[in-house]
Every structure is written in structure tokens, then in C-alpha cells.
Amino acid sequence: MLAALLSPLPGLAQADTTGLTLAEADKRLLEANPAILQARAAVAGARAGIDMAGAHPNPQLSVGVTSTDPGARHSGGYWKRPTDNVLRMDQLFERGDKRELRLQAAGSNLSASTAELANTIRLARIELANAWLDLRAAREIRRIADENATLARRASEAAELRGKAGDLAGMDVARFSADAARVANDALQAELDLARARIALALLLGQRDAPDSLNTSDDWPGPEAAPTPAAGGENSAERPDILAARRRVEQAGALRELARAQRSRDVSIGVQYEHVPANSNSNTSESSYGLSVSVPLLLGNDYRGDIARSEADYTAAEQQLSATRAFVSSEKTRLGAEYAARQSRYQRVAEIVLPAAERAGRGADIAIQKGGMSLTDYLDTQRSLRAARIEAIQARADLARAALLLRLAGDTP
């Protein structure tokens, strides 16, 4: 039984040597992440909105006939028919700088959409860091859980042999069997967690790779692995979510002014040509020209509802900007505190807990060979060692996660 416990576990201690680094995963994220692709489409739509906002009103051409006499005889072409032929063109001229205000609002919308794209990339990178580190930790935990399960199974098989030989009580044999089943369940849960981590990473990367084929490299990324958030291609030190909120305020301001400008009456100018062919009253055809100017009368709608709505939208945009600034400030403070706590925890685990468990494990190996430790105590020591190793992996992953998130929040550890 002692030989079964102390013999090496082939294949389980070997870690994967190749896998997806965080930098490689980031490249795939930018190419295939659904949220990023949608945000890019929104930027393309906002860019098209500038052309729409800058368009001038189209002229309107009208062709009609009046004074038609169905009983009259006629001969010849269209212009000799017994009808008055009218050709008219109307052109609307906007007043109140409406076109300039539309262009201003569309430009602010494009800037906001660009900043929102940058913020979407930042948020996707946060999810990527979490998913990548979850998969990295799940690989190590699965390996240790498999080692635990193999060790417990060997111990259970050896205990059954000793029980059949009469060297071990039946209660102890049952205890080893129950312990092996519990550890096997832990290994199964670790395998399930690994599968979930792979699926989560595959979803972020647009499912271009099968989840089972995804793996991570063995390195633990430092904070420099996360790019600092950029302000959507603009020369600004602001975080993209703050910049987007500020651009939305500018857009709401332009739309508010545009709503007020609706009270500036647009002028429509029309020119008209009328042709009257020869008839019983006149032997010659006649032509006449006309000019008209029309303006709307604000009797039924004075746009007060549009103006009130635009005021409310502007106030909401200002409140959103204030809320975003407050959130960013509190987020940086929270992530800074989390990083300090994760760093302290990892140092204690790496410098105190894990070395103590390693020393206890080596001492237990020597003691059980010399008969100075019971088998039960030896197994407990080995489980404590593996639990310490799992805790060290989790602490290392949490530290890397805190550093990456702090950098993506616009701060440095």
C-alpha cells in the first residue's frame, strides 16, 4: 500500500506546453467578438448619419393640367390640346441653421459611437482576461484534482487488499472507499469547470474554434499584457466611457438647439410656367409665369413638445456623464484596494502556506516510510498539500486578474 501511494503518477504532472497566450487571444477578440463587431457596425451607421444630416432638401417638380374641356375638338401635339398645362418647381430653404445643427449632432454621434466602440473593446478585454485566467487556473486545478483522485483510488484499492488479508478493519476500508469516491467527484467537478471555462472563452472569441481545442499557455500574464484603454482614436486622456458620455451631452445639446430651431419658419419658393393653347376664345396660345413664397403658420403645432423632450434628453445626458465619472472614480478605488488585497494574499500563500504544506508533505513521506505516521494522517497531509497548491493557483490567478482589470480601468498597479 505504501508503494502504491509513493509511486509516481505518470502523465498527470505534465502540463500542456502549447496554448493560446493572452496576447493571441486579444487579437482573435478584436477580429471576432460579437459585441465588438456590433459596435463597429454602429460606428459605420453613425458615419453614414453625417451624410444624411448634411443633405439639402430636394426640389419638387410638379406637372399638371387644368381647365380641361372634354368636349372640345383638338388636333396636334400635347401643347395644342384644349387644356392648360402647368409646370412647377418648389424648393424648400431651411432657416435657423438647421442643417448645421444636424451636422453638429451627427458629428457628436460619430465621436460618441467611436468612443463607445473603444469602451466595448475595453469591456470585452475585461471579459477576456477573466475567461482566460479562469481557463488557465482550471487546467491546473484539474491536473491536481486528477492526481488526488488517482492517489485516493490507489489507497482504496490497497485498503481493500489489506481488508481481505485481515490487516485492516472493515470500517477503515469503507472510509478509504468513501474518500476515493469524494475525491473522484472533485475531479469530475474540476473537469466540468474546465469545460465551462473553455466554452466561455470560445463565446468571447466568436466561436471560431471548437471549445475542446482551446487551451492557454502556461505563463501568468502581468499587468502589461492588458492594453491601456484608448479614447476611441481621439487625442484625449479620458477613458472611453467618459468621453462617450461627454459626446452624448454635446449631441443632446445640438438636438436641443435643433428642436428650438423648428420655430424658425422654413421658406418654400416656387416657380411656375403655365401654357394655355389656342381655343374658341383665343386664336393664339399663351404662356404665363408665376412665383410663390410659402411659410408655415405655427397655429396647430409650435413644437413645444419637441423642445421639452430635447431638454429632458439633455438633462439625462448630463446626469449620465456625472454618473459615469463617479463610477470610474469609484471603480479605480475599488480595483486598487482589490489589487492590494490580492497581492497580500498571494504573498502569504506563496511564502508561508504553500512552503509549509510542502515541508509537511516531505516530512510525511519520510515518516510513513519509517513507520512514524499512520496511513490516515499521511493521506490527510497529502490532501492538505494539494489543497494548498490549489489555493496558490487561485491566488495567483486572482492577482493577475486584479492587475489586468486595474490597468484596463485606466490605472496602474
Side-chain angles (χ1 to χ4, degrees), residues 98-389:
K98 294 184 180 67
R99 179 175 179 272
E100 288 73 15
L101 290 172
R102 286 198 306 269
L103 284 172
Q104 182 180 344
S108 297
N109 181 48
L110 176 59
S111 298
S113 299
T114 304
E116 287 169 352
L117 169 61
N119 192 53
T120 300
I121 293 175
R122 185 185 69 87
L123 295 177
R125 281 171 169 162
I126 290 176
E127 295 182 3
L128 176 65
N130 285 320
W132 192 94
L133 289 169
D134 287 342
L135 179 55
R136 174 68 180 87
R139 289 177 51 235
E140 291 293 326
I141 293 174
R142 192 274 305 268
R143 179 179 61 82
I144 294 175
D146 287 344
E147 291 180 357
N148 279 341
T150 302
L151 180 63
R153 186 182 69 253
R154 288 183 177 181
S156 177
E157 292 171 353
E160 288 182 4
L161 292 176
R162 289 186 59 187
K164 292 178 180 179
D167 295 337
L168 194 64
M171 181 179 64
D172 291 334
V173 174
R175 178 182 177 186
F176 278 103
S177 178
D179 183 72
R182 178 184 61 80
V183 177
N185 285 336
D186 292 341
L188 183 61
Q189 182 63 44
E191 184 68 29
L192 178 60
D193 292 340
L194 178 62
R196 288 174 174 172
R198 281 175 170 159
I199 291 173
L201 183 58
L203 286 174
L204 283 175
L205 301 181
Q207 291 186 318
R208 292 190 175 182
D209 298 305
D212 293 341
S213 66
L214 285 178
N215 218 342
T216 64
S217 59
D218 292 335
D219 61 321
W220 289 103
E224 66 281 355
T228 54
E234 298 188 18
N235 295 325
S236 173
E238 286 183 313
R239 224 173 74 165
D241 48 355
I242 295 180
L243 179 60
R246 189 159 59 82
R247 291 290 185 255
R248 291 301 178 193
V249 172
E250 296 175 0
Q251 180 188 8
L255 292 175
R256 180 179 61 175
E257 295 301 321
L258 181 60
R260 293 173 178 173
Q262 297 301 316
R263 289 181 172 176
S264 297
R265 295 170 176 82
D266 296 336
V267 177
S268 180
I269 298 178
V271 293
Q272 177 175 307
Y273 168 74
E274 183 175 358
H275 174 76
V276 180
N279 52 48
S280 58
N281 297 324
S282 175
N283 294 327
T284 60
S285 61
E286 298 180 356
S287 298
S288 61
Y289 301 89
L291 176 66
S292 65
V293 178
S294 62
V295 295
L297 301 178
L298 305 183
L299 300 178
N301 181 17
D302 60 356
Y303 300 101
R304 68 179 64 183
D306 301 67
I307 295 173
R309 176 63 179 271
S310 66
E311 292 284 356
D313 291 342
Y314 182 78
T315 301
E318 284 188 322
Q319 292 174 348
Q320 182 61 41
L321 176 59
S322 299
T324 302
R325 284 173 172 164
F327 172 78
V328 170
S329 178
S330 62
E331 182 187 39
K332 290 181 179 180
T333 302
R334 174 180 60 82
L335 291 176
E338 287 184 2
Y339 175 77
R342 302 299 185 191
Q343 189 176 40
S344 299
R345 179 199 175 201
Y346 176 69
Q347 288 178 348
R348 285 192 296 269
V349 172
E351 297 175 4
I352 300 176
V353 176
L354 184 58
E358 296 280 0
R359 289 193 299 269
R362 290 192 296 268
D365 290 339
I366 297 173
I368 197 171
Q369 294 180 40
K370 295 182 178 180
M373 176 179 284
S374 67
L375 187 58
T376 301
D377 292 340
Y378 176 79
L379 293 177
D380 289 340
T381 302
Q382 293 301 312
R383 281 194 293 270
S384 298
L385 173 58
R386 286 174 172 80
R389 288 174 177 171

Side-chain angles (χ1 to χ4, degrees), residues 39-58:
R40 285 176 178 160
V43 172
R47 188 173 291 111
I50 294 182
D51 293 334
M52 297 168 59
H56 293 279
N58 290 321

